[in-house]
């Protein structure tokens, strides 16, 4: 057997692939071959390492040297210095903004220190297109254990004791869900996986599918055995081509190995999994709509009951879980429910993956124990807010969730606490906003999204959200009226009570929560016709501070519409004609003295 | 489009239909393949699918108009999609979109008169670490600012 002395792990997730990680791999492989090192150094294309902001990322073992922002041109130096001479390339090592010392190894980096990786444990560690690597990391051991040692009741009991709750948003206890799907007697049952990750800003499911697809397949097979189903469907977004490809490869390899298909591991248990691609409809992430879409129809939701556990896909009892939920299950079986329940808070056990985005230094994926505070996530792990700006709010739960203001930064994050402060866990997108973001504009953004994605079946959602959007539009355009805030609140409460499905019932949340925490911003828009953050263009005015202005005239030359006039020699001060100004902000960016501000 | 190619495309679609017709709930899969073959779903193709699958054309049309990825109109040579997910929006995707609209002279969902670009505003692409993001075909551009737009468009 060949002895591999070094492993070069290169991230092949969507983020890093977009910044040329595939070209880096190709160059690396070509160079290694040229230098005759290709049988002692192995290049592995892995799943996501999480720290997308620093991509493309490369980690070289055994040193665990953590290189960031690697360019194709850097590959030669890495090969010559690190792989041939054994000298770590210092200039490419990941640097933390606030830390003086450079870290060589991955586990010393602040971003990873506080993380516990359960759902993401294999992401960035194994080659997701090679089933042997998954098996080497205890893959399919849980399935074997379940098929040979446990009854379906045992599996349900283990899940109940683990305290695992659905990671898709609502947090329904997983063990109970499996029990409900196990009980009905039927000639056919189905196991479905919700990989229609539609919440903008959430990409943990994509990373699990890209980095560790077999974990999901294994858990679905365990689910099939538990509830008595022999067919599974994964409903995945067509927007995730890498995930779709790797799932296809994983299913094929698992079948070849006899870990899916007929008579799995010689136990007589049969289970198949097929992929179904979404076609761009957010509402299909709702469970009843998702199943309607798998049936090949318009993905409209329908009222519950009947619940899917009784009458789901093709009218048969169906179990539906989300990707991250499944990814936890093989390890709960292997390590035991007590291990899982030892992490987290009283009512929310285990870990949760969050996608950090927006105005935060370390954008990317983090997995932390439930109960970690928002402050730890944003400042200790996320590296704080770039540019020395002030934190304003964090948005969780996407278009169904709400904003968390600075006052709640120290709340331990779990399902129940988030609901108590007017937001929700959702799938785990966490978007950070700073002082430059207008909360009315953000509320409008989310409502614009839900109006567009409303399927139109029930009037509260179809008509109600549209009326709310119209009100928000007029507030942002400076035509807000006294009483608009109260009108939004009444409409919002009524839509929450009367809409048919989860999409409509939660659509008003971003508006209600921003009104709750940032009412003063709404009032400034309506009463003073002023946007405090300077985002709403119709309410924004650019002015030149004459005390700071050096009369260089750069702003005047930069202005695309000739709205800025003045003359240094003649002593005429530079001013902006607000009738001509299109509020593009080019002058503000051009000014070297910071003399132009938004009012 | 030449008659011969059209016939070949319909023959290819017929094969897809023959293959998938009997599996449960396969209408969307057939339509996705049809869109790959034809680039979009004109009414003739919808009729063909309806006949082949034994469903009313209203059902095919209903599905085609429900999902944003099905297109009833031909697309331009290059599809430019700008992500308007939250992370991109918070980081200024709207300003980038405005610049693209003024450079191309079209609004979202439309194709330029010369048929070169179709502009789409898409949902989160999941590359939030690179926000704001736009894609042209398979090519991804991250951390885009409005002034990058003319340079990017000039490459196509």
């Amino acid at each position: 057997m060949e002895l591999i002395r070094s492993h070069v792990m290169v991230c092949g997730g969507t983020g890093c692939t977009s910044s040329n990680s595939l070209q880096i791999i190709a160059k690396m492989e070509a160079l290694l071959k040229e230098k005759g090192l290709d049988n002692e150094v192995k290049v592995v294309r892995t799943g996501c390492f999480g720290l997308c902001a620093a991509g493309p990322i490369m980690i070289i073992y055994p040193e665990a040297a953590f290189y960031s922002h690697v360019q194709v041109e850097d590959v030669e130096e890495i090969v010559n210095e690190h792989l041939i001479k054994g000298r770590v390339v210092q200039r490419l090592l990941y640097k933390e903004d606030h830390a003086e010392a450079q870290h060589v190894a991955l586990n010393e980096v602040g971003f990873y220190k506080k993380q516990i990786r359960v759902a993401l444990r294999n992401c960035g560690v194994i080659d997701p297109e090679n089933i042997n690597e998954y098996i080497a990391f205890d893959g399919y051991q849980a399935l074997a254990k379940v098929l040979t040692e446990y009854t379906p009741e045992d599996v349900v009991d283990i899940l109940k004791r683990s305290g695992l709750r659905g990671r898709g948003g609502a947090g329904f206890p997983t063990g109970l869900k499996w029990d409900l799907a196990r009980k009905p007697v039927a000639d056919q049952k189905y196991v479905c996986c919700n990989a229609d990750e539609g919440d903008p800003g959430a990409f943990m499911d994509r990373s699990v599918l890209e980095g560790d697809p077999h974990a999901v397949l294994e858990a679905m097979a365990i689910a099939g055995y538990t509830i008595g189903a022999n067919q599974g469907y994964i409903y995945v977004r067509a927007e995730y081509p890498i995930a779709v490809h790797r799932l296809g490869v994983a299913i094929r390899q698992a079948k070849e190995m006899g870990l899916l298909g007929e008579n799995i591991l010689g136990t007589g248990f049969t289970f198949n999994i097929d992929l179904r691609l979404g076609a761009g409809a957010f509402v299909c992430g709702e469970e009843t709509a998702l199943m309607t879409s798998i049936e090949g129809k318009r993905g409209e939701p329908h009222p519950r009951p009947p619940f899917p556990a009784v009458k789901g896909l093709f009218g048969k009892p169906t179990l539906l879980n989300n990707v991250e939920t499944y990814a936890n299950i093989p390890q709960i079986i292997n390590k035991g429910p007590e291990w899982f329940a030892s992490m987290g808070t009283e009512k929310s056990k285990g870990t949760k993956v969050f996608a950090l985005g927006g105005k935060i230094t370390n954008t990317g994926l983090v997995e932390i124990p439930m109960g970690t505070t928002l402050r730890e996530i944003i400042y200790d792990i996320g590296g704080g807010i770039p540019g020395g700006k002030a934190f304003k709010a964090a948005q969780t739960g996407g278009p169904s969730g709400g904003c968390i203001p600075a006052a709640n930064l120290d709340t331990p994050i779990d399902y129940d606490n988030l609901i108590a402060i007017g937001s929700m866990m959702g799938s785990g997108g966490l978007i950070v906003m700073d002082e430059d973001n207008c909360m009315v504009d953000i509320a409008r953004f989310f409502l614009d999204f839900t109006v567009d994605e409303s399927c139109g079946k029930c009037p509260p959602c179809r008509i109600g959200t549209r009326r709310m959007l119209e009100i928000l539009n007029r507030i942002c355009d400076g035509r807000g009226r006294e009483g608009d805030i109260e009108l939004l609140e009444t409409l919002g409460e009524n839509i929450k009570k009367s809409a048919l499905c989860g999409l409509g019932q939660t659509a008003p949340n971003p508006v209600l929560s921003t009104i709750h925490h940032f009412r003063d911003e709404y009032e400034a828009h309506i009463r003073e016709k002023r946007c405090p953050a300077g985002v709403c263009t119709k309410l924004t005015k650019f002015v030149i501070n004459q005390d700071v202005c050096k009369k260089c005239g750069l702003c005047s030359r930069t202005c695309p519409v000739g709205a800025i006039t003045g003359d240094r020699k003649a002593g005429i001060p530079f001013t902006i004609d607000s009738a001509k100004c299109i509020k593009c902000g080019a002058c503000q960016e051009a000014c070297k003295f910071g003399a132009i501000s938004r009012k | 489009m030449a008659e011969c190619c059209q016939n070949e495309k319909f023959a290819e679609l017929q094969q897809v239909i023959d293959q998938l017709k009997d599996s449960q709930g396969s209408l969307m899969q057939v339509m996705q393949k049809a869109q790959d073959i034809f680039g979009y779903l004109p009414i003739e193709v919808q009729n063909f699918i309806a006949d082949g699958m034994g469903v009313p054309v209203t059902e095919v049309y209903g599905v085609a108009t429900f999902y944003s990825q099905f297109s009833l109109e031909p697309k331009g040579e290059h599809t430019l999609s700008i992500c308007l997910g939250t992370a991109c929006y918070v980081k200024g995707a709207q300003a980038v979109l405005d610049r693209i609209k003024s450079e191309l002279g079209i609004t979202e969902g439309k194709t330029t008169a010369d048929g070169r670009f179709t502009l789409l505003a898409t949902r989160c692409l999941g590359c939030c670490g690179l926000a704001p993001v736009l894609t042209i075909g398979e090519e991804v551009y991250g951390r885009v600012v409005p002034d990058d737009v003319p340079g990017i468009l000039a490459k196509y």
Side-chain angles (χ1 to χ4, degrees), chain A residues 157-163 331-333 335-342:
Chain A
D157 181 56
I158 288 171
L159 288 183
K160 280 185 177 169
R161 283 193 285 141
S162 76
Q331 290 181 84
I332 294 177
I333 306 275
K335 297 189 179 176
E338 289 73 25
W339 160 79
F340 191 79
S342 70

Side-chain angles (χ1 to χ4, degrees), chain B residues 61-114:
Chain B
Y61 181 78
V63 171
T65 51
F66 186 84
Y67 296 96
S68 61
Q69 287 191 344
F70 292 121
S71 173
L72 302 185
E73 286 167 29
K75 293 237 176 83
E77 196 181 332
H78 306 289
T79 300
L80 191 161
S81 305
I82 172 145
C83 176
L84 286 189
T86 321
C88 289
Y89 187 77
V90 166
K91 286 209 165 172
Q94 185 65 45
V96 178
L97 174 62
D98 290 345
R99 182 63 177 266
I100 297 171
K101 279 157 62 173
S102 72
E103 290 285 331
L104 294 179
I106 50 172
T107 54
E108 302 101 293
K110 298 291 177 202
T111 302
T112 51
D114 59 7

Side-chain angles (χ1 to χ4, degrees), chain A residues 148-165:
Chain A
T148 54
E149 293 174 26
Y150 294 152
T151 63
E153 291 82 356
D154 292 338
V155 179
V156 167
D157 181 56
I158 288 171
L159 288 183
K160 280 185 177 169
R161 283 193 285 141
S162 76
L164 176 65
R165 292 170 69 175

Side-chain angles (χ1 to χ4, degrees), chain A residues 162-178:
Chain A
S162 76
L164 176 65
R165 292 170 69 175
R167 297 296 192 241
F172 192 81
T174 307
L176 181 60
K177 196 177 216 178
W178 286 35

Side-chain angles (χ1 to χ4, degrees), chain A residues 14-15 18-19 52-55 69 190 198-203 206 233 235 237-240 275-281 283-284 293-300 314 357-360 363 431-433 437 441-442 444-446 448-449 452-453 455, chain B residues 20 23-29 31-32 36 58-70 83-92 94-95 98 108 121-131 133 135 138-143 145-147:
Chain A
T14 296
S18 307
S19 13
C52 307
H69 297 292
Y190 295 102
D199 273 7
F203 52 95
R206 195 208 68 212
Y233 289 100
Y235 186 85
R237 294 179 84 193
E239 287 94 333
Y240 288 173
L275 292 183
R276 286 291 181 272
L277 299 196
V283 71
C284 290
S293 184
I294 293 179
E295 291 170 7
K297 302 178 194 154
R298 289 166 67 92
E300 288 175 354
F314 301 114
K359 306 282 183 64
I360 188 159
T363 50
I431 312 273
V432 178
M433 298 173 204
N437 291 115
D441 179 62
I442 291 295
R444 175 172 71 158
F445 164 79
F446 278 116
D448 188 52
F449 180 91
D452 203 34
E453 291 295 345
C455 78
Chain B
L20 290 172
S23 78
Q24 228 175 354
S26 56
L27 177 61
M28 255 175 81
Q29 287 169 280
M31 291 171 64
Q32 282 165 334
D36 288 344
T58 50
E59 196 176 323
V60 178
Y61 181 78
V63 171
T65 51
F66 186 84
Y67 296 96
S68 61
Q69 287 191 344
F70 292 121
C83 176
L84 286 189
T86 321
C88 289
Y89 187 77
V90 166
K91 286 209 165 172
Q94 185 65 45
D98 290 345
E108 302 101 293
T122 67
R123 296 298 175 224
C124 185
L125 297 166
C127 321
C128 310
L130 302 175
V133 175
T135 64
E138 304 276 293
E139 202 65 35
V140 180
Y141 297 88
R143 302 188 184 96
V145 295
D147 282 345

